[in-house]
Amino acid sequence: MKQTKFILSEKEMPTSWYNILPDLPKPLPPLLHPGTKEPTILPPPLFPSAIRDQEFSQERYIEIPEEVQEIYRTWRPTALHRAYRLEKALDTPAKIFFKYEGTSQAGSHKPNTAVAQAYYAKQDGIKRMTTETGAGQWGSALAMGCMFFGIELKVYMVKVSYNQKPYRRILMETWGAKCVPSPSPDTEIGRKILAEDPDSPGSLGIAISEAIEDAGPRDDTYYSIGSVINSVLLHQTINGLEAKKAMEKADAYPDIIVGCIGGGSNFAGLYLPFVKDKIEGKKQNLRIINVEPTACPSMTKGPYAWDYGDVAGMAPIVKMYTLGHTFIPPKIHAGGLRYHGMAPIICHLHHLGLVEAKAVPQVATFEAGIQFARTEGIVPAPEPNHAIRVVIDEALACKKSGESKTILLAHSGHGHFDMAAYDEYLSGRLEDYEYPDKLVKEALAQLPVVDYAEA
Ligand SMILES: *Cc1c(COP(=O)(O)O)cnc(C)c1O
């Protein structure tokens, strides 16, 4: 019998997250305060104390609270699959594995951090949280997390998505969250933008500003972010630690790990425990490929520079590959892959030569997603389609060279709420977009001037 799924028992689920900070060959650059431009921490009135500690912790393994583990076990451990049917269709000697996060109740990896963040807020006696969401993946994941801990949630959803994509909004409301289109009349910044342009379609940058403005002055409210920061990547390592154990059960170790990156949390969560092996010199040939859209090529076209985390320049300044905080994302379907920067940990690893990056155009990613759906049966979200494109290309390269490499795909979620995008592809209306170099240059002229000298 060929074994197709490698699943840990609930008892085998990891009970700690892996923190890569103490294992980095060079320390991660700090966050800088947007005003003083001196090293800073996550703003205390907005984040749980535990999250602020985790952000710069030097502890290698951080225990997952028992109550968070209990909720994780409602869908975790998630399965590692061997994609025999895709391998056969490609006629490749490569062995393709994928770790699938689409079986969480929200359909993606995002609840791994949403549940932890809601738990820590509850520990601090917080009754209410705010956040922003684009197409609704993050808003719905946090709605589920808050539901489990009895926390009220208000989600500012980018207006154009709120109007065009109602299903994730309804999902949030089903779990008990309140969701408003952003810009909204509920905040000062929202009212200001609406006064200037009542038809503003909104943007993630505006929604972030609204969520922060709402939480800032209130003692009972925290703000929450779904990707990019160190603690979010930390919470996602539950997936990589499971993957490592499951690969052992499959008696395999990857030669190549591939995933998609928006803010970078799902993919880093999968690969950080494997990067540890690489840093320790045990797996020097391991390749890790971060895949992004050609429409939002921060890693492949942006410089490694200090930039603001948000549009308004209110968030800390971060050292990262960036398209500039004034970057306006083109309307591509992978809504989760449109941030102007990237998780500092991923950028640092790339700068140190430990991981690679690649950009792929949209139409080819859907072609790959369809091939995945027609072999493995799972309809992937548009985000992991980017990674699947590169997995297929690497598997086809193996066919040419005759090498039997082991490829591990981070499959971050299903595409059941993204059928309109599939419809566009299937009817031939989907188009490619390459972000112009000229716009990158223009946006980079707006980078903050920082004279902080790294050790
Ligand atoms: C949000 C999302 C992403 C991108 O976010 P990361 O923080 O880069 O992981 C990728 N895939 C899915 C399914 C998502 O919902």
Side-chain angles (χ1 to χ4, degrees), residues 13 73 99 118 131 145 160 170 175-176 197 268 279 324 333 336 421 427 442:
M13 189 184 83
R73 287 196 291 266
K99 186 76 162 42
T131 198
V160 57
I170 300 166
W175 277 316
D197 177 10
I279 292 171
H333 279 294
S427 60
E442 280 171 20

Side-chain angles (χ1 to χ4, degrees), residues 108-110 137 227 260-266 336-337 381 383-384 412-413:
S108 77
H109 65 287
K110 288 192 170 83
Q137 288 106 320
S227 186
C260 63
I261 49 165
S265 71
N266 89 85
L337 306 182
E383 292 86 359
S412 50

